[in-house]
Amino acid sequence: MASTDKSTYTQGYHRTVTAAHARRTAAVDAAFVLPHLTPSSRILDIGCGPGTITIGFGAYVPQGSVTGIDLAEEVLAQAREQLSTHDPAPTNVTFEAGNVLAGLQYADASFDAVFTNQVLLHIPDPVAALREMRRVCKPGGFVACREGDYPFRYYPFLPGLQIFSKYLYEMVHGVSTGLEFPSNAPHPEGTRTGSLVHVWGREAGFEPRLMTKKGAAVVAATEEERRAFAEPMIGRLEVGGTGDRFRERGASKEDVELVVSDLRKWIEDVDGWYCLVNAEVIMRK
């Protein structure tokens, strides 16, 4: 998702980007939401991307419905393709274009659950977005947000991974930084998005006493896990447009080549790992 003025997602929708997103599932990435659903729940998945979480929700609400929205028809086409090839294909899942900052097309109190995963960090006004999510949420329902508390933690933090972290941050947040992440970056462009979700929720009108705030770490420690993380990133850099976006922000050709080389070294390093802490916040209306 993006602002009303910017209809593009800065990482783009090349399949090397969305392939990593398509690995996400409701069972894993929305596990904190599932106990709060009923068979008849109506769910809105905002920033659904290629739709794998959205589709997964369908099995948990057999008498309900799931609507996935995103900005670009390019990624919605990928989501619909995922739906058409899913076996069995749920009949209660649909995908539509929508922009939460421009105002959602749905009436007040339309959904039992509104869900986002790694979306608020891409929205320039997360409080306004959450306020709109609250509007379409039914009384007694909830808005659930899963957000990474960036940056990633790596071992070993090779020079190429430092360059990767710097330019990925600048590409996503639109601000410049050195190789070290700023500890006092301004709201809402701070690196600690996950730590701010409940704050933004309070500012959007949710009662703190009706919030559940938890966290879960995602770790890549085996070669298979490192490969699953790094190979899509290499694809983005080489053919998915991310290398071009890094160079637009000042990276040299040699910098991008070093990122690719060090990602490959990191995959093969028996001690290599990364960790990302995700905040998982449920806000009741």
Side-chain angles (χ1 to χ4, degrees), residues 235-246:
R236 296 186 197 190
L237 288 158
E238 292 183 329
V239 299
T242 298
D244 293 334
R245 293 182 178 93
F246 280 16

Side-chain angles (χ1 to χ4, degrees), residues 211-222:
M211 293 184 194
T212 302
K213 296 170 282 186
K214 296 185 177 180
V218 175
V219 175
T222 68

Side-chain angles (χ1 to χ4, degrees), residues 200-212:
W200 293 334
R202 176 182 54 75
E203 293 174 357
F206 290 95
E207 288 283 346
R209 62 186 177 84
L210 297 178
M211 293 184 194
T212 302

